[in-house]
């Protein structure tokens, strides 16, 4: 084993965890290219494809989430957790990291817990305004806790907290397209207001239902839509789109590979309230309507959304009221330039810059100190 720093990064499950993890890894490699990085993810989850595609090695654990509705199913989950902890111990013993980073997601629990037990310094990154159960449990042994919202001392030791913001996907600010070019790339009309509806990589049923039930209303408006359905809903969405006679003011897709173009094209974004997405909207100064998912732990997306709404930096629509209100609200707001500009200015004030580089520096401090103390 050579003398380079060795860092484990663990977590994933959704793009909201994977993009920050990769951003941190890239910032580490940019600052110190000789650093060896090993990702630890959950078998069968998105990170097992996305991380190797980004050029990093990843190993998977059989860990899974607890079933909160049917407790009897959790026996198998507990067995997987025990197996994952045993595997995590072996991974750490073999790789001999100088520090471990947890970004949230199933795998971060057993990996960071074992690292802490084995004396490896750990850093956790809490993306949300309401701390997750896993991070609250890991915080006791963590040396540093990087957060994106004020007031997190109600969950964590204030002496460990560093306000860094959330790392966003790479290249988000490197857009080369004009707005007209971006809109045309989706086959839409540059002279019309454009609304981007994005439900994340897997999609959001509520957002999709809102569009499908409002096809006639959309066709009668003077607004156009980029509608990202997610892979689970694309067939249903395409059927609805076809039955509505394929309206030219709607671009329908399951996945947007060039989010720079989508954001540049959009006058307004409609989105769930995941922490990573919110960080992107802040950096880009995008006016946004947030429809928090009700299907997340501790209702943390509503708390994320309200942190913006309370500063007049976003509009909030409750999930249960979305089918009735969302499309009307979006069309009205898209045509209100004064309100759009105010939202843009206010959300920009909440942006953090260089989050990944700041977190990388904290990782280096932990790793260098451990290496110096242990001579390896």
């Amino acid at each position: 084993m050579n003398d380079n720093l060795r860092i484990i990064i663990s977590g994933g499950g959704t793009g909201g965890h994977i993009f920050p993890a990769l951003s941190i890894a890239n910032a580490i490699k940019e600052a110190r290219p000789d650093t060896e990085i090993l990702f630890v993810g959950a078998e069968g989850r998105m990170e097992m494809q996305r991380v190797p595609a980004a050029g990093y090695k990843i190993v998977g654990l059989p860990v899974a989430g607890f079933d909160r509705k049917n407790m009897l199913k959790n026996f198998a989950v507990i067995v997987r957790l025990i197996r994952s902890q045993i595997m995590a111990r072996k991974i750490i013993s073999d790789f001999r990291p100088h520090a471990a980073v947890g970004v949230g997601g199933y795998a971060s629990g057993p990996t960071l817990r074992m690292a802490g037990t084995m004396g490896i310094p750990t850093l956790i990154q809490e993306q949300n305004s309401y701390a997750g159960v896993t991070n609250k449990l890991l915080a006791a042994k963590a040396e540093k806790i990087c957060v994106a919202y004020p007031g997190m001392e109600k969950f964590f030791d204030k002496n460990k907290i560093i306000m860094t913001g959330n790392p966003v996907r790479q290249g988000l600010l490197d857009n080369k397209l004009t707005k007209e070019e971006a809109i045309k790339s989706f086959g839409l009309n540059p002279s019309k207001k454009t609304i981007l509806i994005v439900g994340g990589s897997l999609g959001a049923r509520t957002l999709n239902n809102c569009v499908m039930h409002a096809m006639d209303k959309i066709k009668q408006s003077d607004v156009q839509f980029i509608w990202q359905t997610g892979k689970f809903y694309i067939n249903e969405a395409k059927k609805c789109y076809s039955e509505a006679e394929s309206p030219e003011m709607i671009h329908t897709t399951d996945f947007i590979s060039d989010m720079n173009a989508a954001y540049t094209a959009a006058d307004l974004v409609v989105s769930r309230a995941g922490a990573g997405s919110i960080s992107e909207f802040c950096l880009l100064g995008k006016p946004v309507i947030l429809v928090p998912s009700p299907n997340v732990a501790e209702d943390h997306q509503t708390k994320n959304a309200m942190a913006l709404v309370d500063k007049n930096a976003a509009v909030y629509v409750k999930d249960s009221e979305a089918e009735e209100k969302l499309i009307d609200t979006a069309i009205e707001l898209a045509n209100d330039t004064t309100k759009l500009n105010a939202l843009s200015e206010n959300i920009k004030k909440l942006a953090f810059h260089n989050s990944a580089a700041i977190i990388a520096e904290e990782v280096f401090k932990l790793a260098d100190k451990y290496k110096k103390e242990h001579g390896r």
Side-chain angles (χ1 to χ4, degrees), residues 56-74:
Y56 294 100
K57 182 180 178 182
I58 186 169
V59 291
L61 302 179
V63 65
F66 280 91
D67 190 323
R68 296 169 190 244
K69 295 179 181 177
N70 187 343
M71 299 305 291
L72 293 176
K73 291 184 178 179
N74 286 326

Side-chain angles (χ1 to χ4, degrees), residues 4 14 42 63 85 104 134 142 144 147 153 168-169 183 214 243 252 279 327:
N4 300 335
T14 67
V63 65
Q85 289 179 340
T134 300
K144 298 290 183 182
V147 302
E153 59 273 7
V168 298
R169 69 187 91 198
I183 292 173
E243 289 173 352
T252 308
S279 296
I327 298 302

Side-chain angles (χ1 to χ4, degrees), residues 10-326:
S10 185
T14 67
H17 288 129
I18 297 166
F19 292 135
L22 289 172
S23 293
I24 294 168
N26 290 341
I28 288 171
K29 293 293 279 187
E30 184 175 346
R32 294 170 69 164
D34 292 336
T35 303
E36 296 178 44
I37 296 175
L38 176 66
F39 279 80
V40 180
E43 291 175 354
R45 305 294 291 187
M46 191 187 299
E47 60 265 26
M48 300 307 293
Q49 285 76 46
R50 295 285 178 87
V51 170
Y56 294 100
K57 182 180 178 182
I58 186 169
V59 291
L61 302 179
V63 65
F66 280 91
D67 190 323
R68 296 169 190 244
K69 295 179 181 177
N70 187 343
M71 299 305 291
L72 293 176
K73 291 184 178 179
N74 286 326
F75 177 75
V77 174
I78 292 170
V79 172
R80 283 174 169 237
L81 179 60
I82 293 169
R83 283 180 56 212
S84 295
Q85 289 179 340
I86 294 169
M87 289 174 66
R89 177 177 283 277
K90 184 173 190 314
I91 290 165
I92 293 166
S93 295
D94 291 346
F95 187 66
R96 298 169 65 210
H98 299 106
V101 179
V103 296
Y106 299 142
S108 66
T111 306
L112 272 286
R113 184 176 181 276
M114 278 296 120
T117 299
M118 297 168 72
I120 306 299
T122 63
L123 177 151
I124 57 177
Q125 197 244 332
E126 176 53 63
Q127 299 171 15
N128 295 292
S129 60
Y130 192 94
V133 174
T134 300
N135 276 349
K136 283 191 278 191
L137 292 173
L138 294 173
K141 283 190 176 292
E143 305 247 351
K144 298 290 183 182
I145 303 168
C146 297
V147 302
Y149 292 89
M152 297 303 286
E153 59 273 7
K154 61 181 174 281
F155 305 110
F156 305 125
D157 180 346
K158 64 181 181 181
N159 296 315
K160 297 180 178 182
I161 292 174
I162 304 169
M163 182 73 81
T164 62
N166 288 322
V168 298
R169 69 187 91 198
Q170 300 301 113
L172 198 65
L173 300 174
D174 297 336
N175 180 55
K176 305 285 194 299
L177 292 176
T178 65
K179 181 166 185 167
E180 181 176 346
E181 290 169 339
I183 292 173
K184 284 183 175 179
S185 73
F186 292 96
L188 298 174
N189 185 345
S191 66
K192 290 189 174 186
K193 294 287 187 178
T194 304
I195 298 173
L196 169 64
I197 295 189
V198 57
S201 51
L202 302 179
R205 175 166 290 283
T206 295
L207 301 189
N208 290 330
N209 284 345
C210 288
V211 178
M212 289 189 287
H213 294 162
M215 280 289 177
D216 288 340
K217 192 175 293 183
I218 291 170
K219 287 165 70 173
Q220 291 165 16
S221 76
D222 195 35
V223 175
Q224 57 194 2
F225 288 74
I226 300 170
W227 178 24
Q228 186 256 322
T229 67
K231 67 178 182 179
F232 292 138
Y233 305 105
I234 185 61
N235 292 333
E236 184 181 5
K238 281 187 172 178
K239 182 173 182 290
C240 177
Y241 176 74
S242 177
E243 289 173 352
E245 300 176 340
S246 305
E248 63 182 13
M249 73 288 297
I250 303 177
H251 174 89
T252 308
T253 181
D254 62 332
F255 181 75
I256 298 173
S257 57
D258 188 353
M259 282 304 298
N260 276 354
Y263 283 142
T264 302
D267 296 285
L268 172 67
V269 181
V270 176
S271 173
R272 288 305 202 187
S277 296
I278 286 177
S279 296
E280 294 182 352
F281 305 146
C282 291
L283 270 176
L284 296 169
K286 279 292 159 186
V288 61
I289 298 175
L290 296 172
V291 187
S293 171
N295 306 312
V296 294
E298 312 288 354
D299 195 27
H300 68 254
Q301 285 203 5
T302 296
K303 297 175 178 71
N304 291 348
M306 296 314 296
L308 273 68
V309 173
D310 290 344
K311 294 179 174 64
N312 296 314
V315 173
Y316 165 63
V317 173
K318 191 174 182 179
D319 184 88
S320 60
E321 299 173 350
E323 285 192 34
E324 178 187 351
K325 297 180 177 179
L326 180 61

